[in-house]
Amino acid sequence: MLTEERFLEILKIVNTKKSVTVQELKEILDTSESTIRRDLTALHNKKLLNKVHGGATAIGLDYETKDATVESRMDLSSEEKDQIGQYAAQLIEKSDFIYLDAGTSISHMTAYIHEPDAVYVTNGIYNAKQLAQKGYNVFLLGGRFKAATEAAVGTETIRSLEKYNFTKGFFGTNGVDKEHGFTTPDASEAATKEAAMKRCRQRYVLADQTKIGRISPVQFGKFEDAYIITTEILDEKLKTEKNMIEVKKK
């Protein structure tokens, strides 16, 4: 089992049981005590659980632990996603080598991309199709296909990413929180997003208001790692953050 997969399983167990011992986790996950203790320390440092003597407890936050399907999410906050996507698409220039994440926020963005001279790389099936139909130069990453998000994720996808250096990257997210950063429910998808982010000179996270303040189990980036493109910023504490981009309705 990959480290990220163990993290997700541990968080599911902790959030279900509210508290769990190292011994219980060792037996459930069939791994060593030292590995469990290292995992708990890592998750505690990410502020996703509380490590206590002999085990861990939930931190009392409401996590989103499962990805909804693309079909069920495509029309959610669609007006906001259109505004955000239109703004993000205008950031693409002729000389850019672009990474596009999977997800419905990025799918809304592809409708507004009108730069044929840029090069595009994506792990999203829908995004690749949209750009290819426009006649643009697009590369689709390989890897394990995740049906819920229609994305290629996992070890093979990450290996494919290692040969690229992107000028700009655009990412979707399930949650944005100043303390917990950018999060998503799936460990493999989080690992893929994190690997892609590291290959981008400039990073943008597209997040409608339903994502702000929400937390999912697995972090793929810190709050300060990217510019966050959203609509009206309702949280007064976030209004002063330099990486928050507020898109006004035209």
Side-chain angles (χ1 to χ4, degrees):
M1 184 182 289
L2 295 173
T3 301
E4 291 83 3
E5 293 174 334
R6 263 198 332 274
F7 282 1
L8 184 59
E9 288 302 314
I10 289 171
L11 287 169
K12 285 181 179 177
I13 294 165
V14 170
N15 287 318
T16 298
K17 296 171 68 70
K18 304 306 178 186
S19 66
V20 67
T21 67
V22 170
Q23 190 61 35
E24 285 176 309
L25 291 172
K26 176 185 171 183
E27 293 174 1
I28 293 170
L29 300 176
D30 191 25
T31 191
S32 68
E33 183 175 321
S34 60
T35 297
I36 294 298
R37 291 189 184 278
R38 283 197 301 271
D39 289 350
L40 293 181
T41 297
L43 290 168
H44 176 84
N45 290 339
K46 289 175 178 285
K47 295 181 171 50
L48 294 175
L49 54 69
N50 291 318
K51 184 181 179 183
V52 298
H53 181 69
T57 62
I59 59 176
L61 293 173
D62 186 18
Y63 288 98
E64 180 185 27
T65 58
K66 185 178 180 181
D67 269 316
T69 63
V70 169
E71 289 83 358
S72 65
R73 289 182 291 118
M74 197 65 183
D75 293 330
L76 294 176
S77 306
S78 59
E79 187 176 342
E80 272 192 85
K81 289 176 181 176
D82 274 345
Q83 287 178 244
I84 293 167
Q86 188 171 6
Y87 178 93
Q90 293 172 357
L91 298 174
I92 298 175
E93 300 173 295
K94 282 186 177 182
S95 58
D96 276 331
F97 189 52
I98 298 292
Y99 179 75
L100 295 172
D101 189 25
T104 56
S105 292
I106 307 301
S107 296
H108 279 262
M109 175 185 172
T110 57
Y112 296 100
I113 293 177
H114 301 297
E115 182 47 75
D117 294 324
V119 177
Y120 303 91
V121 178
T122 182
N123 70 325
I125 303 295
Y126 180 87
N127 299 334
K129 181 180 178 181
Q130 290 293 99
L131 294 171
Q133 287 176 341
K134 293 182 180 184
Y136 294 174
N137 194 5
V138 56
F139 294 86
L140 178 63
L141 296 176
R144 179 175 66 83
F145 179 68
K146 183 183 174 188
T149 55
E150 298 184 6
V153 298
T155 304
E156 291 301 319
T157 313
I158 292 170
R159 284 176 183 165
S160 298
L161 282 164
E162 289 174 353
K163 64 184 177 183
Y164 294 121
N165 293 296
F166 304 104
T167 56
K168 296 180 181 116
F170 298 87
F171 298 85
T173 186
N174 290 74
V176 176
D177 179 79
K178 189 173 181 181
E179 186 176 0
H180 296 86
F182 309 118
T183 54
T184 192
D186 183 79
S188 293
E189 190 142 18
T192 304
K193 288 174 183 285
E194 183 176 20
M197 266 198 168
K198 289 178 179 177
R199 311 301 299 181
C200 299
R201 186 186 305 160
Q202 295 177 10
R203 308 153 188 151
Y204 299 90
V205 171
L206 281 58
D208 61 77
Q209 280 301 315
T210 66
K211 312 295 176 57
I212 306 298
R214 175 175 269 180
I215 302 167
S216 284
V218 192
Q219 183 187 72
F220 64 88
K222 296 180 181 178
F223 180 84
E224 62 271 18
D225 285 347
Y227 288 101
I228 301 160
I229 305 176
T230 188
T231 50
E232 184 182 3
I233 301 173
L234 303 178
D235 187 339
E236 291 296 326
K237 294 179 181 178
L238 295 179
K239 285 184 178 292
T240 58
E241 296 296 329
K242 294 181 179 179
N243 63 327
M244 295 291 293
I245 299 174
E246 191 174 21
V247 180
K248 300 290 187 180
K249 187 174 182 179
K250 294 181 180 180

